Amino acid sequence: MEMHDILKTIYQEVKPLASKGEVADYIPQLSFISPDKLAISVHNVDGSCYEVGDSDTPFSIQSISKVFGYTLAFKVLGPDIWKRLDKEPSGNSFNSLVQLEYERGIPRNPFINAGAIVIADIILSHYPNPQQTLLDFVRGITNEPSIRYNHDVATSEKLTGYRNTALAYLMKSFKNIHNSVEDVLDFYFLQCSLEMSSKNLSKSFLYLANHGIVPSTNEQILTVSQSKRISALMLTCGLYNESGDFAYRVGMPAKSGVGGGVVAIIPKKLSICVWSPPLNRFGNSLAGIEALEKFTTYTGDSIF
Ligand code: GLN
């Protein structure tokens, strides 16, 4: 089957599944999205792309932004980053507090909230204008100057972000947050509020599918080794406490967000984004995961 036919088939097959999930409402602004939105976009490293559904509609990328934040922090700190956090799957939900107390304020990995908050702290310490740097980075790798933060979403999360506030203060008590908690959380919430379409998200992950180099411009974002390491973290930690099941069923490094997006890559080949807002009990897109499982099944392609 041609790629476009595969995507159309998957679209039809997963469309009814969305009704089994729940749209995130703990961030009030996210609850207004239509649960019926569905998009699948594929970008190949050779420049070709395929898409079905609402692939041009920007949505809240939420935790998918942790990959961009981590990339910026890893670029400046290199392996020293591991003095501030670990690289093990957590086995707990993305906003869990339990491990952080007995592991003395060192988050398990950069993709759970605690880890991403430490990454936000690192970015604040090393970049003079973090908000603009992150935005320029994402606009640059997609060549899409219209990408923006959604300040209403960021404010909505700030007003109700009790768990993230608790995580940040707990880490501060262990001296693992260097800036003010308020500044760090403001940046973290803004980062999560980035809005991108599935088309732009699949394009944006091509540097990870292409060993650190943006294929369309040849710009080197990361070394081959750094790119390998981020992909390894996505495989082991990208879907929180569903990462093992996802690796087993799908077989691609991936990152999800509570806005209902999931982006996954096959190194040297492609990047794929699925967007369907209703989430499963792990906070990952229910239809999105099904779609990605079908994708590797129908194409016979995965990292294994
Ligand atoms: N901004 C969200 C939060 O901190 C991101 C979580 C997610 O997408 N899993 O709760």
Side-chain angles (χ1 to χ4, degrees), residues 26-27 30 60-66 94-95 111 113 117 153 157 161 163-164 167 188-189 191-193 240 255-260 279 282-284:
Y26 75 99
I27 301 172
L30 294 186
S60 198
I61 74 167
Q62 291 297 321
S63 285
I64 299 171
S65 69
K66 291 170 179 171
F94 64 84
N95 56 7
F111 296 150
N113 286 12
I117 291 168
V153 171
E157 182 163 15
R163 294 189 73 91
N164 287 323
L167 289 167
Y188 170 72
F189 294 144
Q191 170 193 302
C192 289
S193 84
Y240 319 112
K255 187 72 205 84
S256 62
V258 290
L279 308 178
F282 300 104
N284 298 319

Side-chain angles (χ1 to χ4, degrees), residues 162-268:
Y162 311 118
R163 294 189 73 91
N164 287 323
T165 308
L167 289 167
Y169 275 111
L170 186 56
M171 292 191 288
K172 184 92 177 162
S173 78
F174 285 109
K175 301 194 168 30
N176 199 19
I177 294 291
H178 300 170
N179 297 279
S180 89
V181 164
E182 176 145 19
D183 288 351
V184 172
L185 288 178
D186 279 350
F187 177 67
Y188 170 72
F189 294 144
L190 199 64
Q191 170 193 302
C192 289
S193 84
L194 271 170
E195 289 192 335
M196 293 169 74
S197 63
S198 70
K199 187 187 194 173
N200 286 334
L201 266 172
S202 62
K203 189 170 185 199
S204 71
F205 270 57
L206 280 177
Y207 72 98
L208 293 169
N210 193 39
H211 292 185
I213 296 173
V214 180
S216 55
T217 59
N218 266 336
E219 186 191 357
Q220 177 140 26
I221 305 288
L222 298 169
T223 65
V224 176
S225 163
Q226 286 172 327
S227 169
K228 173 187 77 178
R229 296 190 192 292
I230 297 188
S231 301
L233 289 166
M234 291 201 295
L235 185 70
T236 52
C237 313
L239 276 86
Y240 319 112
N241 42 341
E242 198 179 8
S243 300
D245 191 61
F246 184 85
Y248 179 82
R249 286 172 59 193
V250 179
M252 287 193 275
K255 187 72 205 84
S256 62
V258 290
V262 194
V263 191
I265 60 161
I266 299 180
K268 279 284 160 212

Side-chain angles (χ1 to χ4, degrees), residues 84 99 214 232 269 304:
R84 303 283 302 277
Q99 257 164 358
V214 180
K269 207 153 198 178
F304 298 111

Side-chain angles (χ1 to χ4, degrees), residues 66-169:
K66 291 170 179 171
V67 175
F68 304 138
Y70 180 76
T71 298
L72 292 181
F74 201 29
K75 269 163 84 80
V76 287
L77 279 196
D80 279 349
I81 207 162
W82 303 121
K83 294 178 182 155
R84 303 283 302 277
L85 67 168
D86 208 343
K87 42 179 141 39
E88 292 296 338
S90 73
N92 286 305
S93 61
F94 64 84
N95 56 7
S96 171
L97 281 145
V98 286
Q99 257 164 358
L100 206 52
E101 165 77 9
Y102 59 77
E103 295 188 353
R104 306 199 59 76
I106 301 293
R108 273 290 172 107
N109 66 68
F111 296 150
I112 51 173
N113 286 12
I117 291 168
V118 167
I119 295 294
D121 184 54
I122 292 169
I123 293 174
L124 249 54
S125 297
H126 288 85
Y127 290 92
N129 191 348
Q131 299 186 6
Q132 195 59 45
T133 302
L134 179 66
L135 197 57
D136 289 345
F137 173 71
V138 178
R139 287 174 173 173
I141 56 176
T142 50
N143 192 24
E144 194 56 68
S146 65
I147 292 172
R148 58 175 207 104
Y149 298 116
N150 183 324
H151 292 272
D152 292 340
V153 171
T155 305
S156 173
E157 182 163 15
K158 181 177 173 154
L159 293 174
T160 54
Y162 311 118
R163 294 189 73 91
N164 287 323
T165 308
L167 289 167
Y169 275 111

